[in-house]
Amino acid sequence: MSRAITVLLLLMLIQCGLVAVVFWPQDQRAGETAPQTLIPFATATVDELRIGDDYDNEAVLVKSGEQWLLPDLENLPADPEKVKAVLEAIQLQPGNWPIARSSAARQRFQVADYYYQRKLTLLADGEKLGTLYLGTSPGFRKVHARNEQEATIYSIPLNTFELPAVSDAWLEPRLLQLRTPLRIDADLYNLYLEDGHWLSRTGGTPDEQELETLLATLKSLKVEGVADEDLQRELSDAEADLVLNIQSLAGEVTLELVSLNGGHYIHSSEFPLFFKLNRGDYERLAGIDVSLIAGDTRSE
């Protein structure tokens, strides 16, 4: 008799265990907030971004074809990698759970509509798709974010400094790079590529190190933003320290280097504005030894 009771108790325990395994996780999940999305649309549909901060600054980026442009800067190209990083960050991946929903949390994490660090508005065909508020950082390369239509707060892989609210900071830094020059004409030297070899119009052979410095600098050239508006006219009137006329597979371009008031600037015939140039690139271009680059061996 006692053995039968023991067997029955054992069977009952097994049944209870099965019930707990089958039903308990579902009951627990029923009380949790289901994973949601920060934005209810695909970022591929976005063709305009407006980034504002709490100082009323705003940067505007507009997509034209496959390129992002800066309308406040004569439609200069924006850095595509920076734009891509932002759009990927706000498109939440599955499993990204909300971390808070209360009004107190919105203020604490600085994602309220009246208190935020960045305000990101996304548009398509002139119509607003949504607005996101970005605030404090919970950790390395993380920022709290909230859709203005929702109370839910998320943590997304982004930093607020990756969302500058000034157009200048979105500029494509590589827009003046020349990958395949075929001919380079300056006031004091003229070089051309023939059968894979660089030659000088004077009949000499360019010094290998000077030539490599010139070509490498043109290939890796990066601008550091646009010169201040007040400086643009002054730079236009200033005499260039160096003028380079360059023919490449992409076409012909003229670069003018100007130093003014301790700053270094460059202008390209392809664009209407002067750009800031770091001192290193400026000195590598303006400091080329003319006799060496022209292959003049008479001074030896």
Side-chain angles (χ1 to χ4, degrees):
M1 186 68 162
S2 59
R3 183 177 180 182
I5 293 174
T6 301
V7 171
L8 290 173
L9 288 173
L10 182 60
L11 290 174
M12 185 180 296
L13 288 173
I14 293 173
Q15 288 178 332
C16 289
L18 290 173
V19 169
V21 170
V22 174
F23 293 102
W24 174 255
Q26 293 183 355
D27 292 340
Q28 184 182 45
R29 284 194 297 266
E32 294 180 350
T33 303
Q36 302 173 21
T37 56
L38 182 60
I39 54 174
F41 51 85
T43 55
T45 62
V46 177
D47 61 19
E48 184 175 346
L49 297 173
R50 297 178 184 173
I51 304 101
D53 62 18
D54 52 348
Y55 296 102
D56 294 328
N57 297 311
E58 185 179 57
V60 179
L61 294 83
V62 176
K63 192 175 184 181
S64 178
E66 296 301 316
Q67 192 174 33
W68 285 91
L69 305 176
L70 300 165
D72 292 338
L73 293 178
E74 305 284 350
N75 281 324
L76 290 172
D79 187 339
E81 294 179 3
K82 290 182 68 170
V83 178
K84 180 182 178 182
V86 171
L87 294 178
E88 287 181 347
I90 64 175
Q91 192 81 66
L92 290 179
Q93 299 300 315
N96 195 321
W97 294 80
I99 61 173
R101 294 180 56 87
S102 69
S103 58
R106 291 198 291 274
Q107 182 167 339
R108 184 169 72 254
F109 296 144
Q110 298 181 25
V111 291
D113 55 3
Y114 57 88
Y115 185 41
Y116 54 84
Q117 293 190 17
R118 294 292 186 275
K119 178 181 179 180
L120 174 61
T121 302
L122 304 104
L123 303 93
D125 297 324
E127 299 292 329
K128 188 173 81 168
L129 298 175
T131 295
L132 306 180
Y133 295 107
L134 291 89
T136 57
S137 172
F140 176 71
R141 205 171 183 274
K142 293 285 187 179
V143 67
H144 292 116
R146 180 182 72 87
N147 189 315
E148 68 172 349
Q149 300 295 328
E150 303 289 341
T152 311
I153 301 170
Y154 296 90
S155 173
I156 63 174
L158 199 65
N159 290 309
T160 52
F161 67 76
E162 295 177 84
L163 283 164
V166 289
S167 297
D168 181 81
W170 289 92
L171 183 66
E172 165 60 272
R174 298 161 293 232
L175 82 170
L176 299 188
Q177 289 182 354
L178 292 161
R179 300 275 179 182
T180 53
L182 304 175
R183 175 172 174 161
I184 303 171
D185 293 314
D187 291 338
L188 299 176
Y189 62 86
N190 308 89
L191 308 173
Y192 64 97
L193 185 65
E194 184 176 278
D195 297 329
H197 300 283
W198 281 94
L199 303 172
S200 170
R201 286 293 178 188
T202 62
T205 301
D207 177 81
E208 185 176 341
Q209 184 172 344
E210 290 294 292
L211 178 63
E212 176 60 27
T213 297
L214 176 61
L215 296 178
T217 303
L218 291 174
K219 184 177 180 180
S220 62
L221 199 64
K222 288 187 178 181
V223 298
E224 297 185 332
V226 175
D228 295 340
E229 185 176 351
D230 295 339
L231 271 178
Q232 291 291 336
R233 182 182 298 275
E234 196 173 349
L235 287 166
S236 297
D237 295 336
E239 183 178 354
D241 299 321
L242 175 67
V243 177
L244 295 174
N245 295 299
I246 303 171
Q247 293 181 6
S248 70
L249 293 177
E252 187 171 348
V253 64
T254 298
L255 300 179
E256 298 178 61
L257 277 70
V258 181
S259 56
L260 184 67
N261 301 331
H264 302 88
Y265 306 92
I266 186 169
H267 179 270
S268 167
S269 57
E270 294 185 308
F271 304 103
L273 300 175
F274 279 83
F275 302 97
K276 300 173 186 175
L277 187 64
N278 70 72
R279 182 175 179 177
D281 282 349
Y282 182 91
E283 291 182 345
R284 277 187 285 274
L285 292 176
I288 290 291
D289 188 307
V290 174
S291 63
L292 290 176
I293 198 70
D296 186 355
T297 59
R298 289 173 295 178
S299 60
E300 296 180 357

